[in-house]
Amino acid sequence: MAKQILVTGGTGFIGSHTVVELQNNGYEVVIVDNLSNSKIEVLDQIEEITGKRPKFEEFDLTDKNKVKAFFNEYSNLDAIIHFAASKAVGESVEKPLMYYSNNLNSLMNIMECMSEFNVKNLVFSSSCTVYGQPDQLPVTEQTPRKEAESPYGNTKSICEDIIRDTVAANNELKGIALRYFNPIGAHATAKIGELPLGVPNNLIPFLTQTVAGIRPELSVFGDDYNTPDGSAIRDYIHVVDLAKAHVVAIERLLNDKNKANYEYFNVGTGNGVSVLEIIESFERATGEKVPHKIVDRRAGDIEQIYADTSFANEELGWTAQSTLDETLSSAWKWQTNIMETEK
Ligand code: UD1
């Protein structure tokens, strides 16, 4: 019988791509999402891509009674991938309690139900933000975590601790945290992708909207960093590569290949790329010009971070496959597709 996976936040950006990969690998998926930052139409798109419509339940995971009722109804879950969370760094500084309340309570409600309803396996969406500005690059899983730069970042660190401690207290449970670097791009069909609400904060959606003429120009936040071209460096990973990392993490748990009950992995490409290099690569890959200007650094940004991915490569047998040009082309194809549909 097909294994059943609960994907919280499954209509979101990374969640929807992961649902596609899970269904393509024969898993049965049930999505829980409160649609606070995503659209129900994503289910149609997933169905178009995979030929299968995932089950869907709309509710808020901070509502403990609803979470319990859900676990009562879905009594054959094999594993959970927990994406559902608030993720805007700036907003988290303005509304810290909302971030702590949403991100911590939903995880705690899920973990309480895992113990109560005997669901053993959890994969959690963590972030490279837990490393802060690391003293050494690239970062390995042994690189110490640092005090978070934002309440959002802190929720990721605290959630990792909640999983570590809960799993340590209950031998039946197993958890894997995936520390994502910067997920970008979209599915090759351009049927699903990132749908930012309002003015995007993140680089790639702002860039593609600029090229599309929705924004006048892209601001490059700082060219005076201690990097080869002065702009900040990140490790940009294709969202489909990232989605595939979740499938292998699930397989590791379901096949008892994990070496400890709680494990965490860096999920990036291993390549550090600057903002100016992103612009160059985008222009090369798409033939489009990116209108941009250099402005001051953005408050709270770190100078550079990129992953050492050897642990994920060796232990999960997973490596990011897409080139940066392919990834940026997919983001552009998605942007042009959204505009076509909106016409
Ligand atoms: C941040 C968070 C990350 C979170 C992600 C998604 C940190 C350290 N990282 O990533 O955990 O998952 O947001 O919300 O908190 N840039 C510009 N112009 C723009 C936008 C961005 O130059 O208009 C630059 C930034 O300065 C940065 C790079 O592009 O150097 C990437 O920025 P962004 O896409 O916002 O992601 P992060 O801040 O790296």
Side-chain angles (χ1 to χ4, degrees), residues 170-243:
N170 180 346
N171 263 336
E172 292 286 300
L173 301 184
K174 297 188 292 187
I176 290 182
L178 299 179
R179 292 176 174 168
Y180 312 154
F181 284 68
N182 287 53
I184 62 166
H187 196 263
T189 58
K191 289 184 190 296
I192 51 172
E194 197 169 3
L195 272 177
L197 289 178
V199 183
N201 291 310
N202 294 115
L203 177 62
I204 302 307
F206 201 103
L207 185 157
T208 56
Q209 289 193 5
T210 304
V211 177
I214 302 167
R215 317 268 158 221
E217 62 189 341
L218 170 71
S219 295
V220 174
F221 296 140
D223 69 346
D224 55 353
Y225 283 110
N226 186 22
T227 59
D229 65 23
S231 63
I233 289 178
R234 299 286 183 274
D235 182 336
Y236 296 91
I237 175 168
H238 195 304
V239 66
V240 173
D241 282 328
L242 177 56

Side-chain angles (χ1 to χ4, degrees), residues 8-239:
T8 75
T11 49
F13 174 43
I14 309 172
S16 58
H17 288 83
T18 302
V19 172
V20 165
E21 294 307 317
L22 286 167
Q23 293 197 157
N24 283 344
N25 281 277
Y27 291 96
E28 191 177 297
V29 173
V30 49
I31 294 175
V32 169
D33 204 301
N34 65 2
L35 299 176
S36 59
N37 194 19
S38 60
K39 292 189 173 154
I40 189 79
E41 289 78 15
V42 168
L43 298 177
D44 301 333
Q45 307 301 328
I46 293 173
E47 188 175 357
E48 277 189 29
I49 298 171
T50 64
K52 200 174 168 203
R53 194 174 186 84
K55 293 202 175 85
F56 177 74
E57 301 287 346
E58 181 183 346
F59 67 92
D60 197 306
L61 291 156
T62 58
D63 185 332
K64 202 171 184 168
N65 291 331
K66 290 196 174 145
V67 179
K68 275 201 164 191
F70 171 87
F71 275 82
N72 250 320
E73 189 182 340
Y74 290 86
S75 53
N76 289 318
L77 295 174
D78 293 286
I80 299 168
I81 308 182
H82 181 43
F83 292 105
S86 305
K87 62 166 189 179
V89 177
E91 186 186 43
S92 79
V93 176
E94 309 281 313
K95 299 175 186 166
L97 288 177
M98 183 186 121
Y99 270 68
Y100 286 112
S101 170
N102 188 28
N103 293 4
L104 305 191
N105 284 322
S106 51
L107 174 69
M108 289 192 289
N109 286 342
I110 289 169
M111 291 208 87
E112 274 181 29
C113 285
M114 286 177 70
S115 304
E116 194 178 329
F117 294 87
N118 202 24
V119 181
K120 297 184 166 58
N121 304 301
L122 176 71
V123 175
F124 175 68
S125 283
S126 190
S127 167
C128 69
T129 194
V130 301
Y131 296 115
Q133 174 61 70
D135 298 326
Q136 275 192 335
L137 290 165
V139 287
T140 72
E141 288 76 1
Q142 276 68 54
T143 302
R145 283 186 288 166
K146 281 196 175 169
E147 176 109 28
E149 304 271 339
S150 68
Y152 156 77
N154 205 18
T155 67
K156 291 297 174 192
S157 230
I158 298 170
C159 283
E160 285 196 1
D161 292 345
I162 290 173
I163 298 168
R164 179 198 62 201
D165 296 346
T166 309
V167 156
N170 180 346
N171 263 336
E172 292 286 300
L173 301 184
K174 297 188 292 187
I176 290 182
L178 299 179
R179 292 176 174 168
Y180 312 154
F181 284 68
N182 287 53
I184 62 166
H187 196 263
T189 58
K191 289 184 190 296
I192 51 172
E194 197 169 3
L195 272 177
L197 289 178
V199 183
N201 291 310
N202 294 115
L203 177 62
I204 302 307
F206 201 103
L207 185 157
T208 56
Q209 289 193 5
T210 304
V211 177
I214 302 167
R215 317 268 158 221
E217 62 189 341
L218 170 71
S219 295
V220 174
F221 296 140
D223 69 346
D224 55 353
Y225 283 110
N226 186 22
T227 59
D229 65 23
S231 63
I233 289 178
R234 299 286 183 274
D235 182 336
Y236 296 91
I237 175 168
H238 195 304
V239 66

Side-chain angles (χ1 to χ4, degrees), residues 243-262:
K244 288 178 176 165
H246 293 78
V247 178
V248 291
I250 286 288
E251 277 161 5
R252 182 175 177 88
L253 292 174
L254 293 180
N255 298 324
D256 285 322
K257 295 270 171 55
N258 53 300
K259 299 214 167 119
N261 281 359
Y262 173 58

